[in-house]
Amino acid sequence: MARKLTENISSAYIEAANRLKPKRKGKRVAVYVESYDDVLFWRSVLEEFESPDIHFDVMLPSRNTLAKGKNLALSHELGDGLIACVDADYDYLIQGRTEHSQKMLQNPYVFHTYVYAIESYQCYAPGLHTACVMATLNDREVIDLEEFMLQYSLILWPLLVWSIWLYRHDHYKQFSIQDMAGEVSFRDINVYHPEETLDYVRRHVNKAVNWMQRTFPEAKKAYEPLKQELVKLGVTPETTYLYMQGHTLFDGVVLPLLNPICTLLRRERENEIKRLACHEKQRQNELSCYQHSVGSIDVMLKKGLKFRESEPYQRLRRDLSAFVERICAAPQDANSVEGK
């Protein structure tokens, strides 16, 4: 007669099952983030600081609804057991000129990216070539991507300074972040003449800057001091792209830059396979294998880790390290023990 499954449960079975459960001891810190996309990013950031003394649970700020966003993450009562990790947006650069900016900057339990958003880190220039290699399995450098982003940043720099001035002085409705996106993004690029795209952006930026100089002459005295202040905050003319709107950077600059490069590199690799194949079956097998091994460039950008070498990320690390050091040194709170 067949025995019931429950009759096979033994002490050894229970012990084996327990070994498969997460072993999470020490202090638990809940982490509220803005959206689903942010969960993986902040998990990868925070896992460096986990130890037997502390662990983090990254989640959206509401378990009862699909509501999400920065305002919701910051609306809760934060503390040692609950922190918020958010995009800096412009709130960092406008330095407390709005209530929202003050809330982000003054609360010691709010940690932000310093750069505009997580997309900024995903588009970190020194990691772009590696992303192309991951997407195409072809290591040929078509364009010097770091130099391109440097030149792009130098062009963008004066417009970013103006944009920050507008947001600090409540003139953003006359030239919003969305307006700026229309001036600095592009749809495609000639991989053999990338300088044409830079010239295109330069013309649009110059036109926008000239308009603002005429429209807001009162900003003349404040412009140079603001530039110096932004540099002290970590923004440099060479890395301006990290502080522009994240979605614009990702979808309106980096993807239009990398997509034609990846198309060219894949075509080169496929032509090489066709040329070297000894017979039709080998050609089909190799092409199929190659096509299954490559991936979408937007996915590969999100897997990049080169941004961890950047100065803004190092500032974020120092903030989190100080928090973890303080929390681990504090007496254990019974409510923070596993299971509570």
Side-chain angles (χ1 to χ4, degrees):
M1 181 178 179
R3 301 177 65 188
K4 295 181 179 179
L5 180 61
T6 54
E7 295 176 359
N8 294 318
I9 295 178
S10 63
S11 175
Y13 174 88
I14 298 296
E15 290 178 7
N18 286 338
R19 283 195 292 269
L20 296 177
K21 294 181 179 179
K23 299 174 178 61
R24 311 188 78 178
K25 299 179 180 180
K27 298 181 179 180
R28 173 185 178 272
V29 178
V31 182
Y32 283 169
V33 298
E34 298 181 53
S35 68
Y36 297 114
D37 290 339
D38 293 2
V39 173
L40 177 59
F41 173 82
W42 286 106
R43 160 49 44 196
S44 69
V45 170
L46 292 166
E47 65 185 3
E48 174 188 351
F49 301 96
E50 292 190 318
S51 70
D53 298 320
I54 188 171
H55 67 271
F56 298 94
D57 284 338
V58 183
M59 63 190 75
L60 295 181
S62 176
R63 295 186 176 183
N64 301 318
T65 70
L66 293 176
K68 51 185 179 290
K70 188 173 186 177
N71 288 334
L72 185 59
L74 298 182
S75 66
H76 293 76
E77 185 175 347
L78 306 177
D80 287 353
L82 174 62
I83 64 175
C85 291
V86 298
D87 290 338
D89 300 324
Y90 266 7
D91 290 323
Y92 170 56
L93 297 184
I94 63 177
Q95 285 292 290
R97 297 317 197 270
T98 66
E99 182 180 351
H100 199 275
S101 176
Q102 291 174 12
K103 184 183 296 187
M104 190 191 81
L105 295 178
Q106 295 175 3
N107 193 324
Y109 300 104
V110 176
F111 299 89
H112 62 86
T113 53
Y114 283 100
V115 296
Y116 191 96
I118 64 173
E119 290 89 353
S120 309
Y121 283 131
Q122 292 165 356
C123 296
Y124 185 53
L128 296 183
H129 176 66
T130 298
C132 290
V133 175
M134 294 168 63
T136 66
L137 304 183
N138 187 337
D139 195 26
R140 187 168 81 83
E141 191 172 21
V142 179
I143 295 175
D144 187 336
L145 295 171
E146 290 190 55
E147 180 64 22
F148 182 93
M149 294 307 297
L150 184 150
Q151 295 301 325
Y152 178 85
S153 289
L154 294 175
I155 295 170
L156 181 64
W157 170 242
L159 187 57
L160 180 78
V161 177
W162 268 106
S163 182
I164 298 303
W165 184 88
L166 292 171
Y167 272 78
R168 286 190 176 192
H169 293 81
D170 201 26
H171 293 304
Y172 61 90
K173 291 182 180 179
Q174 292 173 265
F175 190 84
S176 67
I177 290 178
Q178 290 71 32
D179 294 326
M180 181 174 173
E183 302 297 336
V184 302
S185 57
F186 49 89
R187 294 183 179 180
D188 53 29
I189 186 172
N190 183 338
V191 296
Y192 301 107
H193 294 285
E195 69 279 1
E196 295 176 356
T197 298
L198 292 175
D199 288 339
Y200 169 85
V201 175
R202 183 182 290 107
R203 290 194 300 271
H204 280 256
V205 167
N206 289 341
K207 181 179 178 181
V209 168
N210 289 337
W211 176 83
M212 282 184 278
Q213 287 173 339
R214 296 192 305 269
T215 308
F216 305 103
E218 68 273 21
K220 184 176 182 180
K221 292 182 179 180
Y223 187 83
E224 286 300 323
L226 178 56
K227 284 204 304 186
Q228 298 306 314
E229 182 184 347
L230 291 178
V231 170
K232 291 180 181 179
L233 291 174
V235 189
T236 68
E238 294 80 13
T239 60
T240 313
Y241 71 96
L242 293 174
Y243 301 89
M244 63 184 286
Q245 186 185 42
H247 288 299
T248 300
L249 174 64
F250 195 94
D251 297 322
V253 177
V254 171
L255 283 185
L257 171 63
L258 299 189
N259 273 327
I261 293 175
C262 290
T263 297
L264 175 63
L265 293 175
R266 289 193 193 98
R267 187 181 301 119
E268 285 182 354
R269 185 64 74 218
E270 290 172 353
N271 288 338
E272 180 183 48
I273 291 172
K274 295 174 183 178
R275 178 171 55 84
L276 297 177
C278 297
H279 46 74
E280 180 62 19
K281 186 172 182 60
Q282 184 184 44
R283 184 185 71 83
Q284 293 179 354
N285 288 342
E286 290 293 333
L287 282 175
S288 178
C289 180
Y290 173 70
Q291 290 164 357
H292 281 88
S293 299
V294 298
S296 173
I297 184 60
D298 59 327
V299 174
M300 298 309 172
L301 285 170
K302 295 177 181 179
K303 293 182 178 181
L305 298 176
K306 192 71 173 177
F307 67 86
R308 295 185 176 183
E309 300 175 3
S310 69
E311 178 56 30
Y313 184 76
Q314 294 305 313
R315 298 179 71 177
L316 170 60
R317 283 188 69 254
R318 289 193 289 270
D319 292 345
L320 289 168
S321 180
F323 169 76
V324 170
E325 183 178 353
R326 181 178 64 80
I327 292 299
C328 291
Q332 178 82 350
D333 184 348
N335 291 327
S336 68
V337 178
E338 177 189 9
K340 298 295 184 180

